């Protein structure tokens, strides 16, 4: 049985992405008790699945490492991974929360030596790489994963593969009897930081994401460019493994669209501008990028980033929302549309098309087990009736990392005020 | 007709967008267009020669006050009502209906292109079907084929001969309609009364709009 110490002076943080980690750290570093609940087997959320960050083009691992160091140094944060909040009752200052813990089948003895992974034969989809490849059913989600502990996929439990994993482990870390459990804990305030998910690209039927192998999404492109990704960082297109030197980016794929997502997702213009760097980094002057756009929204201080990309002769801009993608005989995706500048038709073939899909709040469609207000896109909003639950990061709006962190700090501050009141009342 | 045109031009001075918004059906949607180009790119008639401006360009021209170019354009008349643009527009602009609205307005104030085939069809179809409440297909095709004179009419009719015969065989075309023995509505008087009432209401609505 997992034991968690929590009282009405504890702050519960749901979601362990950059926002949730920030909120948890900010609160704990002022002396508050924090429980951080994350549904993945690792912390870091979507940012650790990026190859590089705009605007400085550094690797996400370095920012994550700083946060992990703060986390490890702080005894006041209890981290629960593979954990999901299933119910919230009570109110501000006195919530009672039930959390479902999924079995990992690997305990804290694990040294991440990888012997279990070698022993297991079954392969499963590689979720960390957006299913672009396969991994063994005993795996470390990513090289930077925290906790650095293997996971055994439930699909092999009860099969000889599971026994092989157990036999291979020299540290007695594999526990095949691990069971799902539900625990209940108290909290005075809750920070909801469950982040975002990429919009389901196949819903934009005229782009043929599910029909054409060489039409991929921006999140998948991040994994293609990453040396830890399925291609070892080579930008190879899915259909034939050919180097994708001529890449098209389609902006607002699903965003700013009453038929899909109503809102501007804000980061995706910058995301594609950033990704043109990946093409250039891989192929030099032979790498060509074309950005199809309605208007480029390089939010506030990123305008200079945009101007630098604009000045790059290897990057072209076409002011047009692509109307349809077709495929030619060589398997090249062809972008069809009308260019707003001159109203001329075009039908241009590329090696690879990257859909700059927008952000959808991951809270949309799933039940937050409490009454929480949301806007017309499903992002959660400050709710006076629920004065002890605060949204943070992309759960509240489409934000980049910088703004997510700001919003997480704000949420932590509000949560601290609530538990401070509880503390004063309890004295 | 051109009186009405002058009156409208004077009333709205240089504000053609406002004129379209107030006078053309669905015209109030024009300002919602964000010039993304999805409608133009989705339009099947877009490859055809003689098609002046895609919807997106037309909307921009309205905002730019290009009154004559828009009203005299054949573009709205080329719309096939396929509704591709309508279902895809990210702003939910009912593009197809706006096209029809502008076309109808151009016609109403006598500015639409003369002898434009779709306009001719619309007019002929309307006159034909309101007579008896049912379309007389033989007369309708005749008047379309012979629109540009006897010579080209005979040529077109010859080209379509096998289609016509197929329709006759399938009992889809009744040749007796040529001599007026066509199918009719049972209550022609009722139909006419209904249309007259609709006309009266529409005339009043438009008079009110012109006054406002
Ligand atoms: C292609 C692409 C490129 C980008 N590039 C950049 C960039 O270069 N620079 C930049 O600043 N930003 C970039 N962004 C934006 C950046 O990814 C987000 O700002 C960031 O991920 C927001 O962090 P978050 O913690 O709010 O959400 P997330 O990263 O989504 O984290 C949420 C966490 O909550 C967990 N969770 C979800 N539901 C539950 C639940 N019910 N219970 C428990 N846990 C749950 C998730 O597993 C996840 O770990 C990019 C985005 C994309 C799509
Ligand atoms: S940031 Fe750019 S690509 Fe993304 S929705 Fe907004 S305008 Fe479109
Ligand atoms: S699809 Fe809609 S918003 Fe886009 S150009 Fe056409 S009318 Fe304007």
């Amino acid at each position: 049985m997992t034991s968690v110490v929590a009282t009405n002076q504890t702050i519960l943080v749901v979601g362990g992405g950059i926002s949730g980690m920030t909120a948890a750290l900010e609160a704990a570093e002022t002396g508050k008790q924090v429980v951080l609940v994350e549904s993945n087997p690792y912390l870091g959320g979507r940012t650790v699945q990026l190859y590089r960050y705009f605007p400085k083009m550094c690797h996400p691992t370095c920012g994550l490492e700083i946060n992990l160091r703060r986390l490890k140094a702080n005894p006041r944060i209890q981290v629960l991974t593979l954990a999901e909040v299933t119910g919230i009752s009570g109110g501000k200052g006195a919530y009672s929360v039930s959390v479902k813990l999924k079995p990992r089948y690997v305990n804290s003895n694990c040294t991440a030596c990888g012997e279990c992974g070698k022993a297991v034969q079954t392969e499963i989809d590689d979720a960390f790489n957006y299913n672009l490849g396969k991994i063994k059913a005993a795996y470390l989600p990513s090289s930077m994963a925290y906790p650095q502990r293997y996971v055994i996929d439930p699909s092999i439990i009860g099969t000889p593969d599971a026994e092989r994993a157990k036999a291979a482990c020299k540290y007695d870390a594999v526990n095949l009897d691990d069971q799902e459990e539900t625990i209940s804990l108290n909290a005075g305030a809750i920070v909801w930081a469950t982040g975002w998910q990429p919009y389901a690209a196949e819903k934009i039927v005229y782009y043929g994401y599910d029909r054409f192998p060489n039409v991929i999404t921006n999140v998948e492109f991040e994994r293609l460019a990453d040396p830890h990704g399925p291609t070892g960082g080579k930008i190879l297109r899915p259909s034939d493994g050919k180097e994708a030197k001529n890449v098209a980016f389609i902006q607002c794929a699903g965003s700013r669209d009453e038929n899909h997502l109503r809102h501007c997702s804000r980061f995706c213009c910058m995301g594609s501008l950033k990704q043109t760097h990946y093409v250039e980094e891989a192929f030099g002057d032979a790498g060509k990028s074309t950005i199809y756009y309605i208007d480029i929204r390089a939010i506030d201080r990123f305008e200079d980033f945009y101007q630098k990309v604009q000045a790059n002769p290897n990057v072209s801009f076409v002011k047009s929302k692509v109307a349809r993608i077709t495929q030619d005989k060589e398997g090249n995706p062809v972008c069809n549309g009308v260019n707003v500048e001159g109203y001329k038709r075009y039908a241009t073939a590329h090696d690879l098309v990257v859909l700059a899909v927008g952000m959808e709040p991951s809270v949309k469609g799933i039940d937050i087990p409490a009454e929480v207000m949301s806007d017309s896109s499903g992002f959660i909003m400050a709710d006076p009736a629920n004065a002890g639950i605060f949204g943070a990061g992309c759960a509240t709006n489409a934000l980049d990392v910088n703004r997510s962190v700001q919003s997480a700090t704000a949420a932590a501050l509000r949560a601290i005020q609530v538990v401070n009141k509880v503390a004063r009342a309890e004295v | 007709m051109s009186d009405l045109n002058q009156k409208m031009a004077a009333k709205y001075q240089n504000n053609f967008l406002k004129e379209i918004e107030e006078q053309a059906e669905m015209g109030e949607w024009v300002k919602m267009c964000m010039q993304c180009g999805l409608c133009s790119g989705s339009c099947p008639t877009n490859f055809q020669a003689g098609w002046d401006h895609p919807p997106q360009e037309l909307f921009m021209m309205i905002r730019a006050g290009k009154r004559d170019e828009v009203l005299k354009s054949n573009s709205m008349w080329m719309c096939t009502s396929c509704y591709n643009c309508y279902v895809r527009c990210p702003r939910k602009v009912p593009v197809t209906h706006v096209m029809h609205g502008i076309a109808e307005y151009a016609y109403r104030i006598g500015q639409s292109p003369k002898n434009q085939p779709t306009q001719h069809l619309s007019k002929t179809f309307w006159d034909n079907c309101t007579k008896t409440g049912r379309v007389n297909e033989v007369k309708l095709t005749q008047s379309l084929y012979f629109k540009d004179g006897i010579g080209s009419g005979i040529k077109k009719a010859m080209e379509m001969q096998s289609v016509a015969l197929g329709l006759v065989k399938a009992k889809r075309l009744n040749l007796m309609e040529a001599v007026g023995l066509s199918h009719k509505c049972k209550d022609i008087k009722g139909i006419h009364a209904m249309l007259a009432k609709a006309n009266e209401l529409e005339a009043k609505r438009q008079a009110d709009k012109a006054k406002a």
Side-chain angles (χ1 to χ4, degrees), chain A residues 32 179 224 262 383 419:
Chain A
K32 303 299 166 205
Q179 294 292 330
L224 282 191
R262 305 191 67 212
D383 179 0
V419 295

Side-chain angles (χ1 to χ4, degrees), chain A residues 294 321 340 343, chain B residues 29-30 32-42 55-57 59 63 84-86 88-95 98:
Chain A
I294 302 176
K321 186 169 166 80
V340 178
Y343 300 103
Chain B
W29 279 96
V30 169
M32 287 303 289
C33 169
M34 64 171 165
Q35 291 292 302
C36 71
L38 198 60
C39 54
S40 308
S42 310
Q56 162 205 21
E57 187 182 11
F59 298 161
R63 291 196 212 174
N84 263 355
C85 53
Y86 184 107
R88 285 184 181 177
C89 171
R91 287 286 178 87
K92 285 222 158 119
V93 174
V95 186
V98 185

Side-chain angles (χ1 to χ4, degrees), chain A residues 103-105 122 124-125 136-139 151-158 162:
Chain A
R104 186 183 191 108
Y105 305 109
T122 310
I124 55 167
D125 282 341
K136 289 288 189 66
Y139 62 99
V151 185
I152 292 181
D153 192 77
S155 65
I156 64 165
I157 297 301

Side-chain angles (χ1 to χ4, degrees), chain A residues 206-207 256-259 293-294 319-324 336-340 343 345, chain B residues 34-38 40-43 46-47 54 56-57 60 87-92:
Chain A
Y206 43 87
Y207 289 159
R256 299 174 68 185
D257 192 329
E258 292 287 343
N259 297 310
Y293 69 103
I294 302 176
K319 185 166 169 58
S320 167
K321 186 169 166 80
V322 172
R324 193 162 52 107
N336 299 272
V338 169
N339 191 337
V340 178
Y343 300 103
R345 266 260 172 198
Chain B
M34 64 171 165
Q35 291 292 302
C36 71
L38 198 60
S40 308
S42 310
C43 181
N46 210 342
F47 281 122
Q56 162 205 21
E57 187 182 11
M60 204 55 188
V87 298
R88 285 184 181 177
C89 171
R91 287 286 178 87
K92 285 222 158 119

Side-chain angles (χ1 to χ4, degrees), chain A residues 114-125:
Chain A
E115 290 302 322
C116 56
K118 284 183 208 152
V120 163
Q121 287 160 8
T122 310
E123 290 197 325
I124 55 167
D125 282 341

